[in-house]
Amino acid sequence: MYYFIINPTSSSGGGQKIWDHTEEVLQTENIPYEAFLLSRDGEAAVLARKLSGRQEACTIIVIGGDGTINEVINGIRDFSKVTLGCIPSGSGNDFIRGMRLSSSPDDMIRIVLHPQKYQEINIGKVSAEGKTRRFAVSAGMGFDADVCYGVMHSRMKSLLNRFHAGHLIYTAVAVRQMLTMKRQPLRVVVDGSRLISCQKGYFTAIMNLPCEGGGFIFCPKAQPDDDLLDLCIVDRLPRLVALLCFPLAYFGKHTFIKGVQILQCRKVTIQNEEPLCVHVDGEHFGYFKKITVQPSVHKLTVITG
């Protein structure tokens, strides 16, 4: 049995169209399924919690973007009972991109209905002031989180989605943030012992997959199944230099620039004197002075081919 969790409003209504086509395929091939069309925030997590709490194993297929996938991951009760499949209909689609899955909904419909390959991946966990949130793609504190927050509240997102260019909103918001943001004296503690002090820190991105923000490859070597987190720390770059190197990150070619540090760890704590914006898989998590990030004990089986 397939369980479909669909965000019909993703990509300005594209999710509904993709689901309509998927349902036609399911009916043509006589494949048993149950579908849930989302109507409010948090509903995907509730559904995932209910489905994964049953006795039998289940295959959950998400038609939506990174935010819907994140909700599902945070709702799962028993990861050993869940196989996840994804049919992209979001604006960023960093999970699809980072897992090297096809961006074609038609291809992914075929793959999830007739799977041949699976991958077991790590799930990350962010903790702050008694709150926790899992992630599949990335988490971040500072600039990248501010960009995600700006994208969520931008009127341009729906317009660009209509022209299948929703990822461009990340670039537009990022340029504005780069020119106006206040750089911060971040303290980054890696694996409990190594201290990295940032005097004028832009952000620290904690990556489970290589890219975030609609395709910016902050950690090109990140692997979702190596039990490690990859960090991208950007500090003490003049604003003009940061602006010029920003496009390089779209191709993963920024790593040689002085002021950019790329490293791996099993646990990282980031602290600042004042609360900073934090995102989890592109979703706003809150404003905190301190966060701790590490791989969760859970691993998730994903349909990949």
Side-chain angles (χ1 to χ4, degrees), residues 129 141-142 182-186 270-278 287-290:
E129 296 180 9
M141 188 175 196
K182 177 184 176 182
R183 291 168 289 181
Q184 300 287 340
L186 301 173
I270 310 168
Q271 192 166 359
N272 188 57
E273 295 176 354
E274 58 186 71
L276 293 180
C277 190
V278 177
Y287 287 86
F288 302 99
K289 292 182 178 181
K290 179 181 178 180

Side-chain angles (χ1 to χ4, degrees), residues 122-127 133-140 188-191 204-210 219 221-233 261-270 291-296:
N122 297 118
I123 297 297
K125 182 179 71 172
V126 182
S127 303
R133 186 85 181 173
R134 301 170 186 154
F135 64 91
V137 177
S138 68
V188 183
V189 179
V190 177
D191 288 330
T204 299
I206 308 103
M207 311 293 293
N208 188 46
L209 294 175
C219 292
K221 295 183 179 180
Q223 298 291 332
D225 56 0
D226 61 1
D227 297 326
L228 295 171
L229 300 169
D230 286 59
L231 307 184
C232 177
I233 304 170
Q261 293 188 64
I262 307 293
L263 61 148
Q264 291 184 316
C265 67
R266 296 186 182 277
K267 181 179 180 180
V268 60
T269 299
I270 310 168
I291 64 170
T292 299
V293 189
Q294 58 193 328
S296 168

Side-chain angles (χ1 to χ4, degrees), residues 38-93:
L38 303 176
S39 60
R40 63 184 185 277
D41 291 343
E43 189 176 6
V46 173
L47 289 168
R49 188 175 301 113
K50 179 180 178 180
L51 294 172
S52 64
R54 297 176 177 177
Q55 293 298 318
E56 69 275 9
C58 63
T59 299
I60 298 176
I61 309 298
V62 173
I63 297 180
D66 296 323
T68 307
I69 294 170
N70 181 264
E71 272 200 31
V72 168
I73 288 170
N74 276 278
I76 294 174
R77 292 177 59 184
D78 188 343
F79 279 77
S80 68
K81 292 181 180 177
V82 175
T83 298
L84 180 72
C86 302
I87 300 173
S89 70
S91 55
N93 293 324

Side-chain angles (χ1 to χ4, degrees), residues 146-157 173 176 284:
D146 281 325
V147 171
C148 292
Y149 186 80
V151 167
M152 289 175 61
H153 294 83
S154 174
R155 297 178 181 178
M156 292 174 58
K157 185 176 182 179
V173 174
R176 184 186 66 196
H284 183 63

